Amino acid sequence: DTGVSQDPRHKITKRGQNVTFRCDPISEHNRLYWYRQTLGQGPEFLTYFQNEAQLEKSRLLSDRFSAERPKGSFSTLEIQRTEQGDSAMYLCASSHNMPRGTQYFGPGTRLLVL
Amino acid sequence: RKEVEQDPGPFNVPEGATVAFNCTYSNSASQSFFWYRQDCRKEPKLLMSVYSSGNEDGRFTAQLNRASQYISLLIRDSKLSDSATYLCVVNPRRSGNTPLVFGKGTRLSVIA
C-alpha cells in the first residue's frame, strides 16, 4: 500500500498525559499537512511542512502541540498535557509541491482523552 | 461569516434520484476548489476538482460561479453507495497547494 499511513489508528489517554502520533506520507510527496476533525465539522488545518521545514502553524495549534518532520519524510505530532477538548480525529495529508497538487489523506488517528 | 458554508443536511433521497449540493465561500481570491467525499469514520477522499468551466465525471457534475462565490455538486441516478458526507473544499491562496479550508459537509443518505 503506497498511500498515507498513520499510527496509531486509535489512542485513549487520560487527561494530562502526553501523546505522539506518526504520519508516513506518500514517498515522493514533499508537502505534509496535519488537520484536526471533530464530530460534525470538516477538517481544520493545524500545520504543514515542505520537506523538513515547518511552513505554517494555525492558531489552533496551542503551545501544547508540536510537530516535526526531521528528515523530510515521516512526521510526528505531539500533544503535551492532553485536555478533553483535544479529543478528535487527527488527519495527515500529503501532496506534491505543485499548483493544485491534490492532497491525499491518511486514515487518521482517533484520540479520546478521558 | 465562515470561509466555506454548506447546508449540513441530511439529504435523504431514494435510489435513482438526482440531488444537488451547494456551497458558498467568502474569500474572492480563492483559486482552487474541490469536492471531497468522507464515509463514516473514514478519511476524506477527493471526489473531483471544480473548474470554472464546470466539469463532469460520470454521474457527478461540479460547477463554479466565481461572481457569486458559489460551488455546486450534482449527483444523478443516486446509488446506495453514494451515501456519505460531501465536503466542499477551497484553497484560498493564490499560490495553491497550501492548506485547504473545508466546509462542515453535507450528509447524504440514499435509500432503497
Side-chain angles (χ1 to χ4, degrees):
Chain A
D1 186 348
T2 57
V4 179
S5 61
Q6 292 187 245
D7 183 69
R9 296 289 303 277
H10 301 88
K11 179 72 177 177
I12 300 174
T13 191
K14 292 183 179 178
R15 191 174 49 188
Q17 298 295 303
N18 298 344
V19 294
T20 300
F21 309 143
R22 176 179 169 126
C23 171
D24 287 87
I26 294 171
S27 59
E28 64 268 26
H29 286 180
N30 53 11
R31 291 215 166 178
L32 185 149
Y33 307 80
W34 285 99
Y35 294 84
R36 181 174 71 184
Q37 186 175 24
T38 53
L39 198 62
Q41 304 293 317
E44 295 174 292
F45 164 68
L46 293 178
T47 187
Y48 82 111
F49 295 83
Q50 178 167 309
N51 300 315
E52 66 276 7
Q54 188 171 20
L55 296 186
E56 187 175 337
K57 295 190 282 188
S58 87
R59 286 173 292 178
L60 290 178
L61 210 68
S62 78
D63 57 7
R64 295 184 298 104
F65 287 68
S66 62
E68 293 183 338
R69 194 181 183 198
K71 298 181 181 178
S73 56
F74 73 91
S75 175
T76 58
L77 177 69
E78 181 183 17
I79 310 173
Q80 296 183 326
R81 305 181 304 281
T82 52
E83 300 174 356
Q84 288 184 324
D86 297 331
S87 296
M89 171 84 94
Y90 290 84
L91 291 159
C92 176
S94 70
S95 72
H96 288 292
N97 181 23
M98 55 187 290
R100 302 179 69 91
T102 299
Q103 292 187 24
Y104 295 91
F105 283 81
T109 294
R110 190 171 293 277
L111 173 67
L112 177 62
V113 181
L114 301 176
Chain B
R1 181 182 173 187
K2 286 196 173 293
E3 284 196 75
V4 180
E5 295 203 61
Q6 301 180 245
D7 180 347
F11 285 62
N12 299 313
V13 302
E15 272 187 292
T18 295
V19 61
F21 305 140
N22 304 317
C23 164
T24 58
Y25 60 95
S26 61
N27 186 342
S28 59
S30 298
Q31 293 294 309
S32 309
F33 310 89
F34 311 91
W35 284 100
Y36 274 71
R37 169 192 169 130
Q38 187 170 29
D39 293 293
C40 188
R41 303 181 74 81
K42 300 281 191 178
E43 73 274 21
K45 292 186 178 178
L46 179 67
L47 179 66
M48 56 199 305
S49 299
V50 187
Y51 303 116
S52 296
S53 55
N55 48 303
E56 187 173 313
D57 182 3
R59 298 181 293 108
F60 299 84
T61 300
Q63 297 277 351
L64 168 64
N65 184 322
R66 284 188 183 271
S68 302
Q69 294 177 208
Y70 171 96
I71 306 162
S72 66
L73 177 68
L74 183 77
I75 305 175
R76 290 180 298 278
D77 188 23
S78 300
K79 312 290 185 191
L80 294 175
S81 57
D82 294 334
S83 297
T85 296
Y86 291 83
L87 297 162
C88 178
V89 185
V90 173
N91 188 326
R93 307 187 196 183
R94 289 191 179 280
S95 56
N97 200 19
T98 46
L100 300 173
V101 180
F102 288 78
K104 289 186 176 184
T106 298
R107 193 151 54 90
L108 171 66
S109 291
V110 181
I111 305 161

